[in-house]
Amino acid sequence: MADNARAKRLADLIREVVAQKLQRGIKDPRLGSHVTITDTRVTGDLREATVFYTVYGDDEERAAAAAGLESAKGILRSEVGRAAGVKFTPTLAFVMDALPDNARTIEDLLDKARQSDEKVREASAGAKYAGDADPYRKPDEDDETDTGAE
């Protein structure tokens, strides 16, 4: 079992090598400039690496990019092995990163909350208190009412 620092260094190296190879070395048109490598994680035994990526575009472009990454997996793994110089080159698994979808969901929820706050603000703009503005009696007012009655 390798230590966590070594796995982190290998994950960083894999991310850099895969990103550079996708940008300059792969001629597949499905893997254009709209594929971004966001994160890489390596298991503790350094045998498997998960590469997270995002694709800017619609569902059709995402599916094409996933197929392109699967077809380029062997070339990318050999480049990682050449750059890493480890005894066993980790197998690569490509996973679509859910971060943009989660961010979009959070933004939608924040927009709904802003709209709801605006509705409450508009409804309370001309509102008045149901009773007096200050419904509590003050001690000096009690004294004045007691002295005036005697």
Side-chain angles (χ1 to χ4, degrees):
M1 198 73 40
D3 61 350
N4 287 337
R6 185 172 180 197
K8 176 74 173 128
R9 284 193 312 267
L10 183 61
D12 290 342
L13 178 71
I14 291 171
R15 186 181 69 239
E16 290 174 13
V17 168
V18 169
Q20 287 177 355
K21 190 67 176 173
L22 285 176
Q23 188 178 27
R24 297 188 195 128
I26 305 285
K27 302 292 188 221
D28 193 342
R30 299 175 291 186
L31 301 174
S33 62
H34 55 276
V35 176
T36 304
I37 304 299
T38 56
D39 193 18
T40 305
R41 295 188 185 146
V42 178
T43 58
D45 60 357
L46 306 179
R47 296 284 183 162
E48 298 174 6
T50 305
V51 180
F52 295 93
Y53 68 96
T54 59
V55 178
Y56 296 108
D58 57 0
D59 290 336
E60 186 177 301
E61 290 177 347
R62 290 178 186 159
L69 287 171
E70 282 299 316
S71 70
K73 189 183 287 189
I75 296 169
L76 294 172
R77 185 173 180 214
S78 65
E79 283 295 318
V80 167
R82 188 174 301 125
V86 292
K87 185 175 183 178
F88 181 82
T89 303
T91 59
L92 300 177
F94 293 97
V95 176
M96 177 74 79
D97 197 356
L99 185 67
D101 294 333
N102 291 343
R104 190 173 310 114
T105 302
I106 290 171
E107 284 296 324
D108 291 343
L109 291 173
L110 288 173
D111 285 339
K112 286 180 184 177
R114 283 186 201 106
Q115 291 172 359
S116 175
D117 287 348
E118 186 61 33
K119 287 179 184 177
V120 169
R121 193 174 299 116
E122 288 173 3
S124 66
K128 296 182 180 178
Y129 291 107
D132 293 333
D134 188 10
Y136 299 104
R137 297 185 120 191
K138 296 183 178 49
D140 55 334
E141 290 177 359
D142 290 338
D143 293 339
E144 291 175 10
T145 56
D146 291 339
T147 55
E150 290 179 14

